[in-house]
Amino acid sequence: MSVPPSPELTGRTAGAPAPAGAATDEAMLAELGYKQELHRGMSGFSNFAVSFSIISVLAGCITSYAIAMNAGGPIAISIGWPLVGAFVLLVSLAMAEICSVYPTAGGLYFWAGRLARRNKRVWAWYVGWFNFLGEVAVTAAIDYGAAVTWMALLSLVTGIEVTAVSTFVAFLVIIALHGLLNTFGVNLVKLLSNVSAWWHLVGVAVIVAVLAFVPDQHQSLSWTFFHFENRTGWDAPFYAFLIGLLMAQYTYTGFDASAHVAEETINASTEAPKGLVRSVWVSILAGWVLLVAVTAAIQDYDAALGTDIGLPPAQIFIDAAGRSLGIFLLFIAAVAQFFCGMASVTANSRMSYAFSRDNALPGSRWWSQVNPRTGTPTNSIWLCVVCSVVLTAPALVSTTAYLAVTSIAVIGLYIAYVVPVFLRRTNPEFRPGVWNLGRWSAPIGWVAVVWVGFIVVLFMLPPASPITVNTFNYAPIAVLAVLVFSTVTWFVGGRVHFMRDVPKGHDTKPASEIFG
């Protein structure tokens, strides 16, 4: 939502129209403390497309569908999706209001540093590491999930044997392509992001149409929306339903990308927050239609859940629409997942570039460099690619080990999302920007904080019984690992170098003054 503008960092008077254009964006960025180095050429739609592509209902909903099939069943899918979506929308609204005032590639950690009333660098440091490692984990999870989907597709088409090694090789090919595409420049990323947005929307429409008209029979509406399944091993139906919400919550991640590409977006103080919120509500609608169609088309629940393909929705497509048409629907999802991973590398590299220009990462002088020809942080792009490969490497030995590493994705990112919102609510000196929530700011912000606190606790609980090596929830260990890592690195070097001894050539004011 947008209301009449308030006085801002650019010095405009209340009620004055918001100026547009890259020159104004560059001036606002300079006032925040940074030079315009990245190429600013993204439209509002392109900004939205990056976040929408990372959320990717054709990726998250498809690859994590089995979570909800086991925990809650159709009710956790058809009711759980809009339920979680409503709360995530509130989180995005609260974040967007802050993004309008601070449209920088640093995003969440920069917001935390500006909004904290004391220990500003400490708040920014912890949020930054949760954001950086969470995004690396998300990139790893997305591209490995894409590899699983592409290998399932190749297995159906060519009969190729799917192994841990072949899946990992597919992952390497996919993530290397994403690194190359991002290296070529922001104009190509912008074009492909726009294509991705339309591919997702049209792809959902095609899948829904096929599943609505081709199958001879469908599940009833009551079954599709309210049938309950509990295969978690826990004798607690409501708890099983709550665990099943992870499918939706996992999918609704990555929309902070709109903030991270703000320095490449024209009229960023308006378009970046719009992109952040729009990506969520469009995903709510598109994902809900998709999930209801897939669930209603289930022909054999047990066969789909236990399929040899390894991807229940793929089996549902084939059972409902026939082998050839089912493979075509899987192809639509596989291409969408490729676009999703590309956008994730884009956002991850921009965040790490910004974090590096404030001297947070080891080797910051290298990762903060911008390619003068393409206007992209080339070194940072490949840093993110390599880090994601390292995180995914345990999948060669054990999928459980891989899941243990990437479990930081949802919890870690949402911790980074909500800390700035909490700091904004406890900072009476915050002055809303051109895009703000008006009188709804406080209730939306506090509900967002409570929701994230709830899911952080929920998704640290054991998802299945009995608890074994394969069913153990490694999320608490992952979160603790990030906390320990952030604390150790802060005392080893962060407290001396972060926002102080920074690489030269990025700032318009002394680094020690940027957080105020």
Side-chain angles (χ1 to χ4, degrees):
M1 62 190 72
S2 183
V3 298
S6 307
E8 264 198 81
L9 297 169
T10 53
R12 297 195 301 274
T13 57
T24 302
D25 289 315
E26 184 173 342
M28 185 174 186
L29 183 61
E31 183 62 28
L32 290 172
Y34 301 108
K35 293 179 181 178
Q36 181 70 53
E37 296 182 281
L38 300 175
H39 174 65
R40 194 178 290 274
M42 280 191 175
S43 65
F45 181 82
S46 297
N47 181 287
F48 147 79
V50 172
S51 284
F52 181 58
S53 296
I54 297 178
I55 293 176
S56 185
V57 295
L58 288 172
C61 292
I62 299 300
T63 58
S64 60
Y65 190 82
I67 294 174
M69 287 187 79
N70 275 308
I75 190 172
I77 298 168
S78 300
I79 301 299
W81 178 265
L83 175 66
V84 173
F87 286 107
V88 172
L89 183 60
L90 297 182
V91 175
S92 72
L93 285 165
M95 292 168 61
E97 184 176 53
I98 303 171
C99 181
S100 181
V101 179
Y102 308 124
T104 74
L108 313 176
Y109 86 85
F110 183 87
W111 303 350
R114 290 297 292 260
L115 293 168
R117 303 180 69 183
R118 57 182 65 89
N119 299 318
K120 291 176 174 291
R121 293 192 307 130
V122 177
W123 281 102
W125 179 265
Y126 279 91
V127 170
W129 276 108
F130 268 105
N131 195 192
F132 173 69
L133 294 175
E135 288 198 353
V136 169
V138 162
T139 301
I142 290 171
D143 275 0
Y144 190 78
V148 171
T149 302
W150 277 99
M151 289 305 298
L153 181 63
L154 290 175
S155 177
L156 288 169
V157 174
T158 67
I160 187 175
E161 182 182 1
V162 179
T163 65
V165 174
S166 63
T167 302
F168 188 77
V169 170
F171 161 77
L172 292 177
V173 171
I174 290 170
I175 200 166
L177 288 173
H178 290 156
L180 288 171
L181 290 172
N182 275 276
T183 299
F184 290 141
V186 70
N187 287 331
L188 179 60
V189 171
K190 177 177 66 175
L191 173 63
L192 292 177
S193 294
N194 292 349
V195 172
S196 171
W198 288 111
W199 181 276
H200 277 82
L201 293 172
V202 174
V204 167
V206 170
I207 292 174
V208 169
V210 168
L211 295 181
F213 295 107
V214 172
D216 294 329
Q217 62 180 17
H218 294 86
Q219 300 291 345
S220 66
L221 282 178
S222 61
W223 188 94
T224 300
F225 282 90
F226 301 110
H227 179 71
F228 176 76
E229 292 278 344
N230 181 8
R231 306 189 182 200
T232 64
W234 295 110
D235 188 18
F238 185 62
Y239 179 70
F241 170 79
L242 292 178
I243 293 297
L245 298 182
L246 178 60
M247 183 271 291
Q249 194 69 60
Y250 167 76
T251 305
Y252 290 123
T253 53
F255 51 88
D256 57 314
S258 287
H260 297 311
V261 297
E263 291 182 29
E264 297 159 270
T265 303
I266 299 171
N267 207 11
S269 61
T270 299
E271 296 303 331
K274 281 184 178 178
L276 209 155
V277 174
R278 188 181 297 143
S279 64
V280 174
W281 71 256
V282 173
S283 295
I284 293 173
L285 297 178
W288 200 14
V289 173
L290 173 68
L291 288 170
V292 169
V294 172
T295 305
I298 293 176
Q299 306 296 304
D300 187 328
Y301 200 94
D302 292 332
L305 189 56
T307 177
D308 293 335
I309 300 173
L311 203 62
Q315 189 65 54
I316 294 170
F317 293 162
I318 292 172
D319 291 345
R323 183 177 177 85
S324 297
L325 200 50
I327 290 174
F328 173 67
L329 299 186
L330 183 60
F331 170 75
I332 292 174
V335 173
Q337 290 174 33
F338 182 86
F339 282 133
C340 175
M342 184 203 69
S344 185
V345 171
T346 301
N348 195 353
S349 64
R350 272 49 173 186
M351 187 274 157
S352 58
Y353 150 77
F355 211 27
S356 296
R357 70 184 174 189
D358 290 327
N359 205 14
L361 300 180
S364 283
R365 283 171 174 77
W366 181 254
W367 314 127
S368 62
Q369 292 180 14
V370 175
N371 188 314
R373 183 177 61 84
T374 62
T376 57
T378 305
N379 296 343
S380 184
I381 290 168
W382 290 101
L383 168 68
C384 297
V385 168
V386 171
C387 287
S388 295
V389 170
V390 171
L391 277 184
T392 312
L396 280 168
V397 179
S398 168
T399 302
T400 302
Y402 155 73
L403 293 174
V405 174
T406 58
S407 62
I408 190 61
V410 174
I411 295 177
L413 278 181
Y414 270 90
I415 289 173
Y417 288 177
V418 83
V419 168
V421 175
F422 172 78
L423 294 174
R424 179 263 182 272
R425 295 265 45 98
T426 55
N427 186 341
E429 297 177 0
F430 177 81
R431 301 168 70 188
V434 292
W435 195 102
N436 64 76
L437 303 173
R439 62 191 178 90
W440 293 101
S441 179
I444 287 175
W446 283 119
V447 171
V449 170
V450 171
W451 172 253
V452 174
F454 170 72
I455 64 169
V456 165
V457 173
L458 174 64
F459 296 140
M460 286 189 181
L461 299 177
S465 177
I467 300 174
T468 66
V469 172
N470 291 324
T471 62
F472 184 76
N473 187 352
Y474 291 90
I477 296 176
V479 171
L480 180 62
V482 175
L483 283 171
V484 171
F485 177 83
S486 301
T487 301
V488 171
T489 53
W490 171 256
F491 285 105
V492 169
R495 60 178 177 171
V496 176
H497 302 295
F498 180 53
M499 298 300 299
R500 286 180 177 170
D501 178 22
V502 300
K504 298 184 183 302
H506 301 290
D507 301 339
T508 58
K509 60 176 67 174
S512 58
E513 298 178 9
I514 289 179
F515 284 162

